[in-house]
Amino acid sequence: MKRESARRALFTRRVLLLGAGKLALTAALGARLYQLQVVESERYTLLAEENRISVRLIPPPRGRILDRFGEPIAANRQNWRAMLVAERTDDVAATLANVAQIVPISEAERARIEREIRRRRRFVPVMVRDFLSWEEMVRLEVNAPDLPGILTDVGTHRVYPGGEAFAHVVGYVAPPAQADLDGDPMLELPGIRIGRAGLERAHDRVLRGRAGTVQLEVNVVGRVIREVGREEGAPGQDVTTTLDAGLQRKVAERIANDSGAAVILDVRNGEVLAMASSPSFDPSLFESGVSAAQWREWTTNRRAPLINKAIAGLYAPGSTFKMVVALAALEARTVTPGERIVCTGVTELGDAKFHCWRKGGHGALDMREAIKQSCDCYFYEVARRTGIDRIAAMANRFGLGVPLAIELPGARSGLVPTRAWKQATLGKPWALGETLVHGIGQGYIQTTPLSLAVMTARMVNGGRAVEPHLTRAIGGQLVRGHRAEDWPAMGIPEAHLRIMREAMDGVVNERQGTAWASRLPPEAGARMGGKTGTTQVRRITLAERERGLRRQQDLPYEWRHHALFVGYAPTDQPVYACAVVIEHGGGGAASAAPVARDILTEALARDPARRRTPPAPSLQMAEVSRPAEEGRR
């Protein structure tokens, strides 16, 4: 009996322990269920909803780039695309073969499509053809029953109505590279484009906009069932430029057959009205992808069509620099405006001889006449008296050799040398003969066409330090710089600036001026002032001088001088300043001055303040006229 009682007691204890354990386990399970279904109900409901709902980004339309009058120079156009969903067709190869009978598909495109199909899930669309024309899209839709798995999609792509005329200024867009991915998920969307050059790159963030979202219900494997919600993003803002599209086209057309650049500014506020570089390229090719053959053609072209020579081309300024030398001398009081210096055709310094462009010399000249006739010997002497450091300081004040505030990426500052620069860079002291050479804009000095236009604008606008800029408004809001009072005075005496303006007037409008043949036509209703420049691209040896210099047109193209001209108009109340550089053009008077004349004529004809009637067809660009004396600077 006692043994039986012990077994019962043991059994009872075990039952109680087991029951307590089950009770504890049940309580723990109940507590966990309470936590999951009551306490954390909202969290797990959200997780379940996220598994069911897929949120995807919608790329916004890119903002437009407009000229100053609202004409689009970079815009968007509908882009029809053919897509293939592999799970909707039993034979991908047969479907692609049928599509190829309607729209061309190259072997490279076919290989790319098959590669993407293998890498992706079969219900994910793969691009078959981009940039379909309306007719191609319609043919695909009509033949849809015979094209299982093919669907058409619509997006936008970038278009450039101005084509090559605006390429260097506006730039272009292209797919982002790996280095461009900065954490913005929008950059990873298929078909997204970012600015690669020009204003497209400078204002990429503003033009890009903000992506929207679309909520899609998906099943367990991620296939879309239906759209359940949508939130539109913010389209990119429009950027209004300072450009005059009509003038830009005329300037680009005028230099299309040359290699060089031309810039025209509003002297009152530094707005760039036109900026052209030649040769140019078609920016729309970057949207769809540049072929290897096209890229090879661009990069091997010795005239460098991909480089914006207006901001990145470096040239010795030649005689266009003489006004800066004159202003430095006036400020330093090393010469007076009326002092006459005799030019015999050559200046000697020790054993070296420095020649004037006119072999017999100009005789005795004052400052105005020296600029008008572009006498080299006069400026050899003025530079010798003034010194390179004073000349460089004045050049910097006029925008030469210093960074300019232009928005375009890749702009170069050029170089205006000093004694300290040569010692630090080349490890050699400055020589007096180098000062003479720099007095006529040769030597180490390098400038861009844009910086020469800025120099001219500051010289004729009363001495205001305007900076060149291309942006007039963003999202309809004007940016700083469109008013003349936004720019500070440079502290140059008006009397000195007046001498420069009058001398430049004489260059064009007086018979002994080097640009007399390029004065404005009577129908322009105004006068143009300016300064010619011719820069050597190689050293002329003593033997060549003794044999007699050959005419520029008889020399190989690469040996011909660069031709430059800076100008402004009207002379009585300046509004426009321009700079023209024609590579290997032979002479500033022969090649660059006629281009500047035509550019300023067009600008005056389009000026709203001077026009009393609606815009008429622009003036026909005049043929290039060459002065009788080819060597004129």
Side-chain angles (χ1 to χ4, degrees):
M1 280 302 281
K2 291 182 179 179
R3 187 178 298 174
E4 184 66 25
S5 298
R7 283 200 301 269
R8 287 179 180 178
L10 179 62
F11 177 77
T12 301
R13 287 196 301 269
R14 288 176 177 176
V15 169
L16 290 174
L17 288 173
L18 183 60
K22 289 182 177 181
L23 183 61
L25 183 61
T26 303
L29 182 60
R32 181 58 177 163
L33 288 173
Y34 178 81
Q35 182 183 14
L36 293 176
Q37 297 188 17
V38 178
V39 177
E40 298 185 7
S41 172
E42 293 185 5
R43 174 172 174 263
Y44 286 101
T45 299
L46 179 61
L47 290 175
E49 188 69 13
E50 288 179 351
N51 287 332
R52 185 178 70 89
I53 302 298
S54 173
V55 179
R56 301 181 184 180
L57 294 177
I58 307 172
R62 192 171 177 85
R64 299 176 302 167
I65 301 178
L66 313 172
D67 89 330
R68 65 190 301 114
F69 302 115
E71 178 181 335
I73 53 181
N76 304 309
R77 183 176 296 165
Q78 281 190 335
N79 172 30
W80 293 99
R81 302 173 291 190
M83 315 288 285
L84 171 63
V85 181
E87 75 167 3
R88 297 183 183 178
T89 177
D90 296 329
D91 191 339
V92 171
T95 298
L96 291 177
N98 291 336
V99 172
Q101 295 178 6
I102 301 173
V103 295
I105 301 178
S106 67
E107 289 301 320
E109 289 175 324
R110 188 187 296 270
R112 189 261 310 163
I113 295 167
E114 293 174 350
R115 183 170 60 251
E116 291 188 12
I117 289 174
R118 289 194 299 270
R119 290 177 179 176
R120 300 182 182 184
R121 296 183 181 183
R122 291 181 61 82
F123 59 83
V124 177
V126 171
M127 182 77 68
V128 175
R129 269 288 308 275
D130 208 358
F131 301 103
L132 294 173
S133 67
W134 175 261
E135 290 76 13
E136 289 174 329
M137 188 277 297
V138 169
R139 288 201 298 271
L140 287 173
E141 288 291 325
V142 169
N143 291 276
D146 300 322
L147 302 172
I150 294 294
L151 58 89
T152 54
D153 184 26
V154 63
T156 61
H157 71 276
R158 204 65 163 164
V159 293
Y160 300 98
E164 295 187 4
F166 294 82
H168 290 104
V169 180
V170 177
Y172 55 87
V173 296
Q178 187 66 34
D180 298 314
L181 302 180
D182 56 3
D184 185 350
M186 190 173 73
L187 296 184
E188 301 181 23
L189 295 176
I192 200 69
R193 299 290 187 269
I194 64 171
R196 284 292 191 198
L199 291 172
E200 290 276 27
R201 178 177 172 184
H203 294 298
D204 183 60
R205 290 281 183 181
V206 171
L207 293 166
R208 195 186 299 174
R210 178 174 54 83
T213 58
V214 58
Q215 295 178 322
L216 302 172
E217 184 179 359
V218 296
N219 60 17
V220 292
V221 294
R223 184 175 300 126
V224 175
I225 298 175
R226 63 190 178 93
E227 180 180 317
V228 297
R230 176 181 292 262
E231 180 182 346
E232 298 296 338
Q237 297 185 65
D238 289 346
V239 173
T240 302
T241 69
T242 62
L243 296 172
D244 179 337
L247 181 60
Q248 175 76 17
R249 282 188 285 266
K250 287 295 182 182
V251 173
E253 176 186 336
R254 185 61 179 82
I255 66 171
N257 296 325
D258 297 304
S259 179
V263 181
I264 182 166
L265 307 176
D266 187 322
V267 306
R268 299 164 295 185
N269 55 18
E271 291 184 341
V272 179
L273 301 176
M275 176 188 290
S277 178
S278 178
S280 187
F281 61 94
D282 183 357
S284 63
L285 295 178
F286 287 91
E287 170 76 14
S288 55
V290 176
S291 66
Q294 178 65 77
W295 183 256
R296 188 164 50 251
E297 178 186 336
W298 283 338
T299 55
T300 57
N301 188 333
R302 297 179 65 183
R303 299 193 180 191
L306 295 178
I307 294 177
N308 184 354
K309 297 171 185 173
I311 62 169
L314 296 177
Y315 311 90
S319 294
T320 64
F321 190 64
K322 290 175 178 175
M323 287 87 69
V324 170
V325 177
L327 286 171
L330 290 174
E331 184 173 77
R333 300 184 179 180
T334 56
V335 68
T336 62
E339 180 181 353
R340 302 178 74 82
I341 296 175
V342 177
C343 168
T344 61
V346 63
T347 295
E348 297 185 6
L349 182 67
D351 295 335
K353 292 183 178 181
F354 299 84
H355 297 270
C356 185
W357 68 267
R358 178 175 283 178
K359 190 173 183 179
H362 291 88
L365 299 172
D366 61 13
M367 183 173 287
R368 184 183 186 280
E369 284 296 313
I371 294 174
K372 184 179 83 173
Q373 299 186 45
S374 198
C375 175
D376 292 334
C377 288
Y378 178 94
F379 283 95
Y380 291 146
E381 176 61 20
V382 170
R384 184 190 67 79
R385 295 184 190 181
T386 307
I388 188 61
D389 288 343
R390 288 171 173 169
I391 294 171
M394 183 62 69
N396 293 161
R397 292 165 71 181
F398 278 88
L400 305 180
V402 294
L404 297 172
I406 195 72
E407 303 94 318
L408 299 180
R412 303 175 73 178
S413 303
L415 170 67
V416 179
T418 61
R419 293 174 181 274
W421 170 85
K422 186 181 179 186
Q423 187 65 50
T425 305
L426 304 179
K428 297 178 181 179
W430 189 266
L432 181 58
E434 292 174 317
T435 300
L436 272 63
V437 170
H438 286 78
I440 62 168
Q442 297 273 182
Y444 298 115
I445 186 171
Q446 293 183 320
T447 58
T448 65
L450 177 63
S451 63
L452 290 174
V454 171
M455 175 197 75
T456 309
R458 294 180 181 183
M459 199 166 290
V460 303
N461 70 1
R464 286 192 175 273
V466 296
E467 289 279 357
H469 55 283
L470 283 156
T471 306
R472 186 169 176 82
I474 296 177
Q477 298 296 316
L478 288 172
V479 300
R480 181 188 176 277
H482 66 280
R483 303 179 306 167
E485 51 268 31
D486 289 338
W487 306 104
M490 298 168 56
I492 306 292
E494 171 58 27
H496 295 178
L497 295 173
R498 184 170 60 252
I499 294 169
M500 299 304 108
R501 292 195 301 268
E502 291 176 353
M504 294 167 73
D505 188 346
V507 167
V508 178
N509 299 298
E510 297 178 12
R511 287 190 176 275
Q512 288 186 310
T514 55
W516 161 254
S518 295
R519 59 198 180 279
L520 292 184
E523 58 266 28
R527 288 157 63 104
M528 170 183 81
K531 183 70 191 75
T532 54
T534 303
T535 62
Q536 298 173 5
V537 297
R538 67 185 186 94
R539 187 174 181 274
I540 299 175
T541 65
L542 179 61
E544 286 179 301
R545 290 188 182 277
E546 291 177 348
R547 287 196 305 267
L549 298 179
R550 287 188 289 171
R551 297 182 305 171
Q552 288 291 300
Q553 57 264 42
D554 295 333
L555 294 172
Y557 175 79
E558 293 79 7
W559 288 11
R560 298 174 190 172
H561 302 325
H562 291 328
L564 300 91
F565 186 85
V566 296
Y568 72 99
T571 54
D572 57 344
Q573 191 173 0
V575 176
Y576 305 107
C578 73
V580 177
V581 176
I582 304 298
E583 294 179 345
H584 306 293
S591 299
V595 174
R597 172 198 62 203
D598 294 343
I599 291 173
L600 289 173
T601 299
E602 183 70 22
L604 291 167
R606 298 180 62 83
D607 189 341
R610 298 169 55 86
R611 197 166 53 206
R612 299 181 180 178
T613 57
S618 32
L619 296 172
Q620 180 69 32
M621 292 298 189
E623 294 294 325
V624 174
S625 59
R626 301 186 180 273
E629 193 170 357
E630 181 192 294
R632 283 191 167 184
R633 295 287 182 102

